[in-house]
Amino acid sequence: MQFSGWSKDRRRLMVDALVAVGAFAVLVIPMVWLLRDADVVPLLLWPGLMVGSLPFRRVVPWLAVAVCTVAGIGMVLQLDGPSPAIVAVLVIVYSVARYCQGPLGWTVLAIGALASVAGPLSWMTNIPDGQRFTAAALLVTLCLALVAVAYLMGRRLQEMSRSDLLDRTLAEERYTASTARRVQATRLADDRARTDVARELHDVVAHSLSVIVVQAEGAKAMAHKRPERAVEALDVIAQTGRTSIGEMRRIVALLRGEDDATFEPTPSLRQIPEMVEAASDRIALTIDDDYPPVPDSLGLTAYRVVQESVTNFLKHAGPTAEATVALRFEPNRIAIRAVDDGVAGTVPIDPSGSGLRGMRERVTTMGGTFVAGPRLGGGWQVLAELPMPTHLGRSWLREKERS
């Protein structure tokens, strides 16, 4: 027996032992006192032994069956009438059917059936001859019925317990499967967010190539040697650049599944006021008038963070909520703060959504920091910091070292 199960079995043994003591006091001692003129030893020995089998009914059921069987044989051989202690037989039959599986259950049922016949027949010595058959038939039928009821009750409860255990097991398996699906959905959302960031960066690269094209065209003015051929070469470079940009945009359109894709200029810091103003009049924007020169990737990231914050406000804050968006351009960073007084802080956020995850991916890719969640006093807030161009290299380096 394992130590982990011994404590439970010991508690069962102690409880059943107390039950046996109570049964001995109620079922055995009164009979000894009422029949004090008869031989006390068999009146005390065999009923006491039958009651003494009760402490083992759940811990060692086969021992309980053996002790109860020996006590029953002794009562049949030495007692002239029934003893109240035979109630223990029904308890033993029920316990074996309830807690045991295998041949022991059928064995105790067979022993109970034999006892239901042998016991009543041994009690017929004091019954008149003309009534013995009827009395024996009634008592045998009653005893068999009681044994069958006790056995069926035990089996029924055992099946119910097994069914409950199976239901709990199935519930755990469903929970495990649901958790695995949520984890998979989260991973897919992460992959989609990374894909979106990669596509945005591709757009930035395409825009950079456009700048290169412009610079190549301007280089024509600096050609001194064979200016005619230089002009032709620069024209070829410009045309090749334009063609490459068109090809890359066509490939992106195919990856996105767009048949007639249109490509507008990459959003930047200067488009933020127009976007916020068009979104809702419940959003107040505070932004410096002096826009710093930043790379397109950095401006795009700031734009997307504000855009997603505004979108979440409109979707989740409620129809009467108001929001404030503030952008500060400092020498070493761009600070973004979006707060609202809506009900989003009291509504569970879908873990499979990619909005917050996409913002975090964008900001951390640029080497910045991102925090979003309910704010004290109600509402929702988004805080993001993006390093300015003079600090981008060092931020990316720290991010690489952390990864």
Side-chain angles (χ1 to χ4, degrees):
M1 182 179 298
Q2 297 180 354
F3 179 78
S4 60
W6 168 244
S7 177
K8 182 179 180 180
D9 289 342
R10 182 167 58 185
R11 290 195 301 269
R12 287 181 170 181
L13 184 63
M14 293 177 62
V15 171
D16 291 337
L18 293 176
V19 173
V21 171
F24 184 84
V26 174
L27 302 177
V28 179
I29 293 179
M31 290 300 297
V32 175
W33 184 79
L34 292 174
L35 301 175
R36 56 185 177 274
D37 296 333
D39 189 1
V40 178
V41 174
L43 289 176
L44 186 63
L45 176 61
W46 303 119
L49 186 61
M50 181 169 287
V51 171
S53 64
L54 292 177
F56 309 103
R57 67 186 185 92
R58 291 187 292 178
V59 180
V60 192
W62 65 267
L63 180 59
V65 173
V67 173
C68 187
T69 301
V70 172
I73 293 174
M75 293 173 66
V76 170
L77 295 178
Q78 294 190 355
L79 298 184
D80 296 331
S83 172
I86 61 174
V87 175
V89 175
L90 301 179
V91 177
I92 298 301
V93 171
Y94 163 82
S95 301
V96 172
R98 171 67 178 84
Y99 299 106
C100 297
Q101 298 180 2
L104 185 60
W106 296 106
T107 301
V108 74
L109 184 61
I111 294 175
L114 292 176
S116 299
V117 176
L121 292 180
S122 67
W123 305 334
M124 296 296 104
T125 56
N126 297 326
I127 303 297
D129 293 339
Q131 300 177 0
R132 286 183 179 179
F133 178 80
T134 302
L138 291 176
L139 289 176
V140 168
T141 302
L142 177 62
C143 292
L144 287 173
L146 292 176
V147 169
V149 169
Y151 182 84
L152 292 176
M153 286 181 59
R155 281 300 182 191
R156 173 60 178 170
L157 291 178
Q158 184 187 92
E159 293 298 327
M160 291 176 61
S161 177
R162 293 173 61 184
S163 178
D164 291 340
L165 179 60
L166 180 60
D167 290 340
R168 288 194 298 269
T169 302
L170 291 176
E172 292 175 357
E173 291 179 354
R174 286 194 294 267
Y175 175 79
T176 302
S178 177
T179 302
R181 286 194 297 269
R182 287 197 297 270
V183 171
Q184 183 65 22
T186 302
R187 291 177 178 173
L188 291 176
D190 289 337
D191 292 339
R192 286 194 298 268
R194 292 189 180 93
T195 301
D196 292 339
V197 172
R199 289 173 178 174
E200 294 285 2
L201 291 177
H202 167 268
D203 292 340
V204 173
V205 172
H207 182 72
S208 299
L209 290 177
S210 299
V211 174
I212 293 175
V213 171
V214 174
Q215 292 177 347
E217 291 177 336
K220 292 185 296 183
M222 297 184 295
H224 299 289
K225 185 178 180 180
R226 304 186 66 182
E228 298 82 5
R229 299 294 299 273
V231 170
E232 294 177 1
L234 291 175
D235 288 336
V236 172
I237 294 174
Q239 183 61 35
T240 303
R242 294 190 184 95
T243 304
S244 299
I245 292 173
E247 287 296 320
M248 284 191 293
R249 289 179 173 176
R250 184 182 62 82
I251 294 173
V252 170
L254 292 176
L255 292 175
R256 292 174 177 172
E258 301 173 356
D259 294 330
D260 298 322
T262 58
F263 296 87
E264 298 179 356
T266 302
S268 63
L269 297 176
R270 296 182 179 276
Q271 277 73 52
I272 292 177
E274 181 181 356
M275 180 265 296
V276 174
E277 182 180 1
S280 174
D281 56 0
R282 294 184 288 118
I283 305 174
L285 175 64
T286 302
I287 188 171
D288 296 339
D289 294 333
D290 188 12
Y291 293 95
V294 297
D296 292 335
S297 57
L298 184 61
L300 176 63
T301 300
Y303 181 91
R304 295 304 186 196
V305 170
V306 175
Q307 184 184 51
E308 186 63 28
S309 301
V310 170
T311 302
N312 289 338
F313 164 77
L314 296 176
K315 290 173 59 178
H316 304 295
T320 61
E322 295 183 354
T324 301
V325 179
L327 275 79
R328 297 198 316 272
F329 304 133
E330 301 178 2
N332 60 343
R333 65 172 184 165
I334 297 177
I336 303 173
R337 183 174 184 267
V339 298
D340 64 66
D341 57 0
V343 297
T346 62
V347 178
I349 300 300
D350 184 7
S352 63
S354 58
L356 294 178
R357 187 174 297 107
M359 285 195 287
R360 181 175 288 104
E361 288 282 346
R362 293 177 184 277
V363 174
T364 54
T365 299
M366 300 302 299
T369 59
F370 178 85
V371 177
R375 66 188 185 99
L376 188 63
W380 190 267
Q381 67 177 357
V382 174
L383 303 176
E385 292 186 0
L386 298 169
M388 291 295 279
T390 55
H391 296 265
L392 285 176
R394 283 182 289 175
S395 299
W396 285 339
L397 181 59
R398 289 196 300 269
E399 183 68 17
K400 184 179 294 184
E401 291 174 351
R402 286 196 297 268
S403 62

